[in-house]
Amino acid sequence: MNLIFNSILLVNLTNKEAKKIEFAPGKNMLTSNGNHYGKSVIMKSLYYTLGAEVYFPNPIKSLNYMTILRFTLEDKQYIVGRLNSMFVVFRNSKFIKKYHNVGDFGDFLSDLFKFEIELVGKDAEGTIEKCPPAFFYLPYYIDQENGWSTNSYSFDRMTQFDMPQRKDSYFFHFGVLDSEYVKQNKHQKENSKKISKLLKDNEKYKTVIETLKMGLDDTQMAFEIKDLQAAISNRKDDIDSIFKDIAKCRKELVEAEDMYQRLLNEKEVLAKYIKKNDVTPTEKTDVVECPRCGLFFEQALSVKMEQVYLLESLNDDYTKVTTKAEKAERKIKRLNEKYESCQKKLKEYENSLGDEQGTYDTYLKAKTTKKLLEDYSKKIAQNEEFVSGLKDSNRTIRLLLKEYQQSKSKANITYLSVLHKNFGTLDIPSNQVPRESEPGSFIEASGAYGPRCKIAQALSFLETQKSISNEIITFPLVIDSPNVLEQDKDHLESVLKMLLTWNVTDNQIIVASIEGKELAEQLSGVKVIQLDNEVNHIMSKDEYNSLRAEIDMVITSF
């Protein structure tokens, strides 16, 4: 199944300018009298219209740029229009559908081409993703700016997949790799990662087990745990009881000390009054002089009696208070002794509880350690069983992948044979290139040998693909500026002649080059497309007006 480009139409919608290039189904050479006539823009626009991202120059990026590509596939005529990220499709002049993004358009192309490439993305989960359309055309396009560099970065935005996988995509075109290969390969890598992690986990578990065993003494378990728990419970009850006794004793002691202090204060006051009212007889008898008659009389007996009675009452109170104070003092002494006794007993209980609790904690620690040992041992056994299952799965996958690898190796042997034959045709010495290589691999060669190696790779890919499978779709070989790195005239003519006379496969070939027009005109079956527009102005208003109906049909479908 071979796709053929019929024409490409470039449109500047803002300025209403256009340029249309028509191609022959076989060999085509796009040329001009100098640089900046738009050859590369035309070449880039071919696969850009079919969903690939290319390196457009800034003047094109700034335009309101629409492209319309006509191509033939299985005797059907298709028209695809692209405007930014939107696409419209016609089949045999009948509108099919509009697509709003490259992803949806890519799904349509997969169905149309009966071809699909899936690879593993770079995200953390390693999601298997359907490749964008650029991967359909990767082996068929060499871009002027980037296609001749390392690893053929002819298209943009392809780094969502790593380089080894991008190289694997070439073998999808050979039909030796498919989505099942990617799925199984990913499955094997996931299994291997899981195996590695489980084995590391088991090593950690074993280290922990050894450490725990060193600290575990079986004698720590040699006691009756129920008796120990009962002893701890009883001791806690004893401590609670002694705490209550201490609290009660402390309360009584404080009350007794308060009472004792009040009695001492009262005793002190009474002592002062007793001293003040002392009526002890003296040698002099108290007499009173009468103010009227001048006679002297003794003090009245009633006053003396009052003093005597008062003193006796004070002495009596003083005696009672003294007795109470002595009693309170004795009570304080007893309570202090009881308090100290309770404190001593509490300390003994606490020490005893600490020993019993320590023993119990040791038991719990030992019990926990044994449980950890059991759990880790069980986990190790589970991991080992899981690892065994993963290894069995990988053995099955390896057998399947081995078949793929054998097919891949066989295809690559065919490719290498063709590649070295084409090296000779293009005058590339064997000592300038490695003996081993794969499609899509960068071939390190000095000077002008590099571009010729790239041409040899592209043609060898086409030849290998045809020899292995005629069922997979093939696309036009689009090569921009093969005269890079100062190819001399003889070698450039050799390259152009090989491309323009290629008959090993039926692929359409489109080459853009300033040099080689005379050679192309001499070769039969080659269409020479001469650009005669203004420099840096490929499109024109006249051509837009002449193509108005075709442009309007597409633009109104967006």
Side-chain angles (χ1 to χ4, degrees), residues 390-417:
L390 292 172
K391 287 182 176 179
D392 290 341
S393 175
N394 271 2
R395 276 191 287 271
T396 303
I397 293 173
R398 276 196 295 272
L399 292 175
L400 179 61
L401 292 181
K402 185 178 180 180
E403 296 179 8
Y404 279 107
Q405 292 298 336
Q406 288 173 343
S407 298
K408 182 179 176 182
S409 178
K410 184 178 179 181
N412 201 60
I413 290 172
T414 302
Y415 167 77
L416 278 174
S417 175

PDB file of all heavy atoms in Angstrom, residues 390-417:
ATOM      1  N   LEU A 390       6.821 -13.698  39.737  1.00  0.00           N
ATOM      2  CA  LEU A 390       7.279 -12.697  38.774  1.00  0.00           C
ATOM      3  C   LEU A 390       8.372 -13.257  37.869  1.00  0.00           C
ATOM      4  O   LEU A 390       8.408 -12.975  36.661  1.00  0.00           O
ATOM      5  CB  LEU A 390       7.795 -11.453  39.511  1.00  0.00           C
ATOM      6  CG  LEU A 390       6.750 -10.616  40.250  1.00  0.00           C
ATOM      7  CD1 LEU A 390       7.422  -9.537  41.075  1.00  0.00           C
ATOM      8  CD2 LEU A 390       5.770  -9.992  39.256  1.00  0.00           C
ATOM      9  N   LYS A 391       9.269 -14.048  38.450  1.00  0.00           N
ATOM     10  CA  LYS A 391      10.330 -14.659  37.642  1.00  0.00           C
ATOM     11  C   LYS A 391       9.748 -15.634  36.628  1.00  0.00           C
ATOM     12  O   LYS A 391      10.214 -15.697  35.474  1.00  0.00           O
ATOM     13  CB  LYS A 391      11.342 -15.363  38.542  1.00  0.00           C
ATOM     14  CG  LYS A 391      12.237 -14.401  39.317  1.00  0.00           C
ATOM     15  CD  LYS A 391      13.251 -15.142  40.160  1.00  0.00           C
ATOM     16  CE  LYS A 391      14.206 -14.173  40.864  1.00  0.00           C
ATOM     17  NZ  LYS A 391      15.191 -14.885  41.714  1.00  0.00           N
ATOM     18  N   ASP A 392       8.714 -16.398  37.034  1.00  0.00           N
ATOM     19  CA  ASP A 392       8.055 -17.305  36.085  1.00  0.00           C
ATOM     20  C   ASP A 392       7.418 -16.508  34.949  1.00  0.00           C
ATOM     21  O   ASP A 392       7.508 -16.897  33.776  1.00  0.00           O
ATOM     22  CB  ASP A 392       6.988 -18.131  36.809  1.00  0.00           C
ATOM     23  CG  ASP A 392       7.592 -19.159  37.757  1.00  0.00           C
ATOM     24  OD1 ASP A 392       8.786 -19.475  37.588  1.00  0.00           O
ATOM     25  OD2 ASP A 392       6.869 -19.633  38.652  1.00  0.00           O
ATOM     26  N   SER A 393       6.778 -15.378  35.336  1.00  0.00           N
ATOM     27  CA  SER A 393       6.157 -14.524  34.326  1.00  0.00           C
ATOM     28  C   SER A 393       7.204 -13.979  33.357  1.00  0.00           C
ATOM     29  O   SER A 393       6.995 -13.971  32.135  1.00  0.00           O
ATOM     30  CB  SER A 393       5.417 -13.364  34.996  1.00  0.00           C
ATOM     31  OG  SER A 393       4.916 -12.461  34.049  1.00  0.00           O
ATOM     32  N   ASN A 394       8.353 -13.556  33.901  1.00  0.00           N
ATOM     33  CA  ASN A 394       9.409 -13.011  33.049  1.00  0.00           C
ATOM     34  C   ASN A 394      10.001 -14.068  32.125  1.00  0.00           C
ATOM     35  O   ASN A 394      10.403 -13.762  30.998  1.00  0.00           O
ATOM     36  CB  ASN A 394      10.517 -12.385  33.904  1.00  0.00           C
ATOM     37  CG  ASN A 394      10.248 -10.920  34.195  1.00  0.00           C
ATOM     38  OD1 ASN A 394       9.228 -10.381  33.793  1.00  0.00           O
ATOM     39  ND2 ASN A 394      11.153 -10.264  34.894  1.00  0.00           N
ATOM     40  N   ARG A 395      10.074 -15.306  32.609  1.00  0.00           N
ATOM     41  CA  ARG A 395      10.588 -16.379  31.740  1.00  0.00           C
ATOM     42  C   ARG A 395       9.668 -16.563  30.527  1.00  0.00           C
ATOM     43  O   ARG A 395      10.142 -16.736  29.393  1.00  0.00           O
ATOM     44  CB  ARG A 395      10.714 -17.682  32.530  1.00  0.00           C
ATOM     45  CG  ARG A 395      12.016 -17.787  33.321  1.00  0.00           C
ATOM     46  CD  ARG A 395      12.223 -19.188  33.854  1.00  0.00           C
ATOM     47  NE  ARG A 395      11.327 -19.467  34.963  1.00  0.00           N
ATOM     48  CZ  ARG A 395      11.606 -19.216  36.231  1.00  0.00           C
ATOM     49  NH1 ARG A 395      12.781 -18.688  36.557  1.00  0.00           N
ATOM     50  NH2 ARG A 395      10.750 -19.508  37.195  1.00  0.00           N
ATOM     51  N   THR A 396       8.364 -16.503  30.801  1.00  0.00           N
ATOM     52  CA  THR A 396       7.397 -16.627  29.693  1.00  0.00           C
ATOM     53  C   THR A 396       7.521 -15.441  28.741  1.00  0.00           C
ATOM     54  O   THR A 396       7.509 -15.609  27.504  1.00  0.00           O
ATOM     55  CB  THR A 396       5.963 -16.699  30.246  1.00  0.00           C
ATOM     56  OG1 THR A 396       5.853 -17.798  31.158  1.00  0.00           O
ATOM     57  CG2 THR A 396       4.959 -16.871  29.127  1.00  0.00           C
ATOM     58  N   ILE A 397       7.651 -14.238  29.334  1.00  0.00           N
ATOM     59  CA  ILE A 397       7.776 -13.025  28.502  1.00  0.00           C
ATOM     60  C   ILE A 397       9.065 -13.068  27.686  1.00  0.00           C
ATOM     61  O   ILE A 397       9.079 -12.696  26.506  1.00  0.00           O
ATOM     62  CB  ILE A 397       7.731 -11.768  29.385  1.00  0.00           C
ATOM     63  CG1 ILE A 397       6.336 -11.613  30.017  1.00  0.00           C
ATOM     64  CG2 ILE A 397       8.078 -10.522  28.582  1.00  0.00           C
ATOM     65  CD1 ILE A 397       6.245 -10.497  31.040  1.00  0.00           C
ATOM     66  N   ARG A 398      10.148 -13.543  28.314  1.00  0.00           N
ATOM     67  CA  ARG A 398      11.434 -13.584  27.598  1.00  0.00           C
ATOM     68  C   ARG A 398      11.358 -14.492  26.366  1.00  0.00           C
ATOM     69  O   ARG A 398      11.959 -14.202  25.323  1.00  0.00           O
ATOM     70  CB  ARG A 398      12.545 -14.042  28.537  1.00  0.00           C
ATOM     71  CG  ARG A 398      13.137 -12.927  29.375  1.00  0.00           C
ATOM     72  CD  ARG A 398      14.470 -13.343  29.975  1.00  0.00           C
ATOM     73  NE  ARG A 398      14.324 -14.427  30.916  1.00  0.00           N
ATOM     74  CZ  ARG A 398      14.071 -14.269  32.215  1.00  0.00           C
ATOM     75  NH1 ARG A 398      13.945 -13.044  32.701  1.00  0.00           N
ATOM     76  NH2 ARG A 398      13.968 -15.303  33.021  1.00  0.00           N
ATOM     77  N   LEU A 399      10.627 -15.592  26.511  1.00  0.00           N
ATOM     78  CA  LEU A 399      10.468 -16.488  25.357  1.00  0.00           C
ATOM     79  C   LEU A 399       9.741 -15.781  24.223  1.00  0.00           C
ATOM     80  O   LEU A 399      10.108 -15.911  23.046  1.00  0.00           O
ATOM     81  CB  LEU A 399       9.704 -17.750  25.776  1.00  0.00           C
ATOM     82  CG  LEU A 399      10.443 -18.697  26.729  1.00  0.00           C
ATOM     83  CD1 LEU A 399       9.524 -19.839  27.157  1.00  0.00           C
ATOM     84  CD2 LEU A 399      11.693 -19.258  26.051  1.00  0.00           C
ATOM     85  N   LEU A 400       8.692 -15.011  24.595  1.00  0.00           N
ATOM     86  CA  LEU A 400       7.945 -14.271  23.581  1.00  0.00           C
ATOM     87  C   LEU A 400       8.801 -13.164  22.972  1.00  0.00           C
ATOM     88  O   LEU A 400       8.849 -13.001  21.741  1.00  0.00           O
ATOM     89  CB  LEU A 400       6.674 -13.673  24.198  1.00  0.00           C
ATOM     90  CG  LEU A 400       5.789 -12.833  23.275  1.00  0.00           C
ATOM     91  CD1 LEU A 400       5.283 -13.685  22.110  1.00  0.00           C
ATOM     92  CD2 LEU A 400       4.608 -12.240  24.049  1.00  0.00           C
ATOM     93  N   LEU A 401       9.507 -12.416  23.845  1.00  0.00           N
ATOM     94  CA  LEU A 401      10.351 -11.323  23.356  1.00  0.00           C
ATOM     95  C   LEU A 401      11.520 -11.861  22.529  1.00  0.00           C
ATOM     96  O   LEU A 401      12.002 -11.175  21.619  1.00  0.00           O
ATOM     97  CB  LEU A 401      10.879 -10.499  24.529  1.00  0.00           C
ATOM     98  CG  LEU A 401       9.834  -9.686  25.313  1.00  0.00           C
ATOM     99  CD1 LEU A 401      10.506  -8.904  26.432  1.00  0.00           C
ATOM    100  CD2 LEU A 401       9.090  -8.735  24.385  1.00  0.00           C
ATOM    101  N   LYS A 402      11.966 -13.066  22.855  1.00  0.00           N
ATOM    102  CA  LYS A 402      13.055 -13.663  22.089  1.00  0.00           C
ATOM    103  C   LYS A 402      12.643 -13.847  20.627  1.00  0.00           C
ATOM    104  O   LYS A 402      13.440 -13.623  19.706  1.00  0.00           O
ATOM    105  CB  LYS A 402      13.450 -15.006  22.706  1.00  0.00           C
ATOM    106  CG  LYS A 402      14.662 -15.651  22.049  1.00  0.00           C
ATOM    107  CD  LYS A 402      15.032 -16.953  22.747  1.00  0.00           C
ATOM    108  CE  LYS A 402      16.248 -17.594  22.080  1.00  0.00           C
ATOM    109  NZ  LYS A 402      16.611 -18.872  22.757  1.00  0.00           N
ATOM    110  N   GLU A 403      11.385 -14.222  20.428  1.00  0.00           N
ATOM    111  CA  GLU A 403      10.883 -14.361  19.057  1.00  0.00           C
ATOM    112  C   GLU A 403      10.896 -13.017  18.341  1.00  0.00           C
ATOM    113  O   GLU A 403      11.292 -12.922  17.169  1.00  0.00           O
ATOM    114  CB  GLU A 403       9.468 -14.939  19.073  1.00  0.00           C
ATOM    115  CG  GLU A 403       9.390 -16.361  19.629  1.00  0.00           C
ATOM    116  CD  GLU A 403       7.966 -16.873  19.656  1.00  0.00           C
ATOM    117  OE1 GLU A 403       7.073 -16.188  19.104  1.00  0.00           O
ATOM    118  OE2 GLU A 403       7.726 -17.949  20.235  1.00  0.00           O
ATOM    119  N   TYR A 404      10.473 -11.964  19.084  1.00  0.00           N
ATOM    120  CA  TYR A 404      10.504 -10.623  18.493  1.00  0.00           C
ATOM    121  C   TYR A 404      11.943 -10.209  18.186  1.00  0.00           C
ATOM    122  O   TYR A 404      12.235  -9.646  17.126  1.00  0.00           O
ATOM    123  CB  TYR A 404       9.870  -9.612  19.445  1.00  0.00           C
ATOM    124  CG  TYR A 404       8.362  -9.572  19.421  1.00  0.00           C
ATOM    125  CD1 TYR A 404       7.616 -10.103  20.469  1.00  0.00           C
ATOM    126  CD2 TYR A 404       7.687  -8.979  18.365  1.00  0.00           C
ATOM    127  CE1 TYR A 404       6.234 -10.056  20.459  1.00  0.00           C
ATOM    128  CE2 TYR A 404       6.293  -8.926  18.343  1.00  0.00           C
ATOM    129  CZ  TYR A 404       5.573  -9.468  19.398  1.00  0.00           C
ATOM    130  OH  TYR A 404       4.200  -9.423  19.373  1.00  0.00           O
ATOM    131  N   GLN A 405      12.849 -10.465  19.135  1.00  0.00           N
ATOM    132  CA  GLN A 405      14.243 -10.068  18.949  1.00  0.00           C
ATOM    133  C   GLN A 405      14.884 -10.822  17.784  1.00  0.00           C
ATOM    134  O   GLN A 405      15.695 -10.260  17.032  1.00  0.00           O
ATOM    135  CB  GLN A 405      15.036 -10.315  20.241  1.00  0.00           C
ATOM    136  CG  GLN A 405      14.650  -9.411  21.407  1.00  0.00           C
ATOM    137  CD  GLN A 405      14.913  -7.942  21.107  1.00  0.00           C
ATOM    138  OE1 GLN A 405      15.748  -7.589  20.278  1.00  0.00           O
ATOM    139  NE2 GLN A 405      14.186  -7.070  21.800  1.00  0.00           N
ATOM    140  N   GLN A 406      14.517 -12.081  17.635  1.00  0.00           N
ATOM    141  CA  GLN A 406      15.040 -12.851  16.507  1.00  0.00           C
ATOM    142  C   GLN A 406      14.546 -12.269  15.180  1.00  0.00           C
ATOM    143  O   GLN A 406      15.312 -12.153  14.214  1.00  0.00           O
ATOM    144  CB  GLN A 406      14.632 -14.316  16.646  1.00  0.00           C
ATOM    145  CG  GLN A 406      15.373 -15.049  17.751  1.00  0.00           C
ATOM    146  CD  GLN A 406      14.833 -16.452  17.978  1.00  0.00           C
ATOM    147  OE1 GLN A 406      13.718 -16.792  17.559  1.00  0.00           O
ATOM    148  NE2 GLN A 406      15.611 -17.285  18.666  1.00  0.00           N
ATOM    149  N   SER A 407      13.252 -11.898  15.151  1.00  0.00           N
ATOM    150  CA  SER A 407      12.709 -11.280  13.939  1.00  0.00           C
ATOM    151  C   SER A 407      13.361  -9.929  13.683  1.00  0.00           C
ATOM    152  O   SER A 407      13.685  -9.585  12.530  1.00  0.00           O
ATOM    153  CB  SER A 407      11.189 -11.099  14.072  1.00  0.00           C
ATOM    154  OG  SER A 407      10.544 -12.338  14.213  1.00  0.00           O
ATOM    155  N   LYS A 408      13.581  -9.185  14.767  1.00  0.00           N
ATOM    156  CA  LYS A 408      14.232  -7.879  14.639  1.00  0.00           C
ATOM    157  C   LYS A 408      15.670  -8.043  14.135  1.00  0.00           C
ATOM    158  O   LYS A 408      16.123  -7.313  13.245  1.00  0.00           O
ATOM    159  CB  LYS A 408      14.218  -7.157  15.987  1.00  0.00           C
ATOM    160  CG  LYS A 408      14.828  -5.777  15.966  1.00  0.00           C
ATOM    161  CD  LYS A 408      14.754  -5.131  17.350  1.00  0.00           C
ATOM    162  CE  LYS A 408      15.448  -3.772  17.358  1.00  0.00           C
ATOM    163  NZ  LYS A 408      15.430  -3.147  18.715  1.00  0.00           N
ATOM    164  N   SER A 409      16.381  -9.011  14.713  1.00  0.00           N
ATOM    165  CA  SER A 409      17.764  -9.269  14.312  1.00  0.00           C
ATOM    166  C   SER A 409      17.831  -9.705  12.845  1.00  0.00           C
ATOM    167  O   SER A 409      18.710  -9.266  12.084  1.00  0.00           O
ATOM    168  CB  SER A 409      18.374 -10.342  15.219  1.00  0.00           C
ATOM    169  OG  SER A 409      19.682 -10.638  14.829  1.00  0.00           O
ATOM    170  N   LYS A 410      16.894 -10.546  12.443  1.00  0.00           N
ATOM    171  CA  LYS A 410      16.863 -11.016  11.051  1.00  0.00           C
ATOM    172  C   LYS A 410      16.614  -9.851  10.098  1.00  0.00           C
ATOM    173  O   LYS A 410      17.257  -9.731   9.044  1.00  0.00           O
ATOM    174  CB  LYS A 410      15.762 -12.072  10.904  1.00  0.00           C
ATOM    175  CG  LYS A 410      15.707 -12.706   9.527  1.00  0.00           C
ATOM    176  CD  LYS A 410      14.625 -13.784   9.495  1.00  0.00           C
ATOM    177  CE  LYS A 410      14.538 -14.408   8.106  1.00  0.00           C
ATOM    178  NZ  LYS A 410      13.478 -15.456   8.044  1.00  0.00           N
ATOM    179  N   ALA A 411      15.668  -8.960  10.482  1.00  0.00           N
ATOM    180  CA  ALA A 411      15.385  -7.789   9.655  1.00  0.00           C
ATOM    181  C   ALA A 411      16.597  -6.873   9.582  1.00  0.00           C
ATOM    182  O   ALA A 411      16.902  -6.300   8.526  1.00  0.00           O
ATOM    183  CB  ALA A 411      14.176  -7.039  10.211  1.00  0.00           C
ATOM    184  N   ASN A 412      17.299  -6.739  10.703  1.00  0.00           N
ATOM    185  CA  ASN A 412      18.454  -5.838  10.721  1.00  0.00           C
ATOM    186  C   ASN A 412      19.609  -6.397   9.895  1.00  0.00           C
ATOM    187  O   ASN A 412      20.390  -5.641   9.303  1.00  0.00           O
ATOM    188  CB  ASN A 412      18.898  -5.588  12.165  1.00  0.00           C
ATOM    189  CG  ASN A 412      19.705  -4.317  12.295  1.00  0.00           C
ATOM    190  OD1 ASN A 412      19.215  -3.244  11.977  1.00  0.00           O
ATOM    191  ND2 ASN A 412      20.944  -4.429  12.745  1.00  0.00           N
ATOM    192  N   ILE A 413      19.731  -7.728   9.860  1.00  0.00           N
ATOM    193  CA  ILE A 413      20.765  -8.338   9.005  1.00  0.00           C
ATOM    194  C   ILE A 413      20.494  -7.995   7.543  1.00  0.00           C
ATOM    195  O   ILE A 413      21.410  -7.630   6.776  1.00  0.00           O
ATOM    196  CB  ILE A 413      20.802  -9.862   9.225  1.00  0.00           C
ATOM    197  CG1 ILE A 413      21.366 -10.179  10.623  1.00  0.00           C
ATOM    198  CG2 ILE A 413      21.635 -10.535   8.147  1.00  0.00           C
ATOM    199  CD1 ILE A 413      21.256 -11.649  10.997  1.00  0.00           C
ATOM    200  N   THR A 414      19.218  -8.088   7.166  1.00  0.00           N
ATOM    201  CA  THR A 414      18.842  -7.716   5.792  1.00  0.00           C
ATOM    202  C   THR A 414      19.146  -6.244   5.538  1.00  0.00           C
ATOM    203  O   THR A 414      19.713  -5.878   4.491  1.00  0.00           O
ATOM    204  CB  THR A 414      17.341  -7.979   5.569  1.00  0.00           C
ATOM    205  OG1 THR A 414      17.065  -9.348   5.809  1.00  0.00           O
ATOM    206  CG2 THR A 414      16.922  -7.611   4.156  1.00  0.00           C
ATOM    207  N   TYR A 415      18.792  -5.421   6.507  1.00  0.00           N
ATOM    208  CA  TYR A 415      19.030  -3.975   6.378  1.00  0.00           C
ATOM    209  C   TYR A 415      20.521  -3.674   6.247  1.00  0.00           C
ATOM    210  O   TYR A 415      20.930  -2.882   5.390  1.00  0.00           O
ATOM    211  CB  TYR A 415      18.429  -3.258   7.596  1.00  0.00           C
ATOM    212  CG  TYR A 415      18.860  -1.819   7.741  1.00  0.00           C
ATOM    213  CD1 TYR A 415      18.304  -0.819   6.950  1.00  0.00           C
ATOM    214  CD2 TYR A 415      19.831  -1.448   8.679  1.00  0.00           C
ATOM    215  CE1 TYR A 415      18.698   0.510   7.083  1.00  0.00           C
ATOM    216  CE2 TYR A 415      20.232  -0.132   8.816  1.00  0.00           C
ATOM    217  CZ  TYR A 415      19.664   0.840   8.018  1.00  0.00           C
ATOM    218  OH  TYR A 415      20.060   2.143   8.139  1.00  0.00           O
ATOM    219  N   LEU A 416      21.346  -4.306   7.079  1.00  0.00           N
ATOM    220  CA  LEU A 416      22.793  -4.056   7.039  1.00  0.00           C
ATOM    221  C   LEU A 416      23.391  -4.472   5.692  1.00  0.00           C
ATOM    222  O   LEU A 416      24.276  -3.790   5.144  1.00  0.00           O
ATOM    223  CB  LEU A 416      23.493  -4.813   8.174  1.00  0.00           C
ATOM    224  CG  LEU A 416      23.467  -4.157   9.548  1.00  0.00           C
ATOM    225  CD1 LEU A 416      24.054  -5.094  10.589  1.00  0.00           C
ATOM    226  CD2 LEU A 416      24.238  -2.847   9.529  1.00  0.00           C
ATOM    227  N   SER A 417      22.910  -5.583   5.163  1.00  0.00           N
ATOM    228  CA  SER A 417      23.402  -6.055   3.868  1.00  0.00           C
ATOM    229  C   SER A 417      23.112  -5.022   2.778  1.00  0.00           C
ATOM    230  O   SER A 417      23.979  -4.668   1.968  1.00  0.00           O
ATOM    231  CB  SER A 417      22.758  -7.393   3.527  1.00  0.00           C
ATOM    232  OG  SER A 417      23.129  -7.806   2.232  1.00  0.00           O
TER     233      SER A 417
END
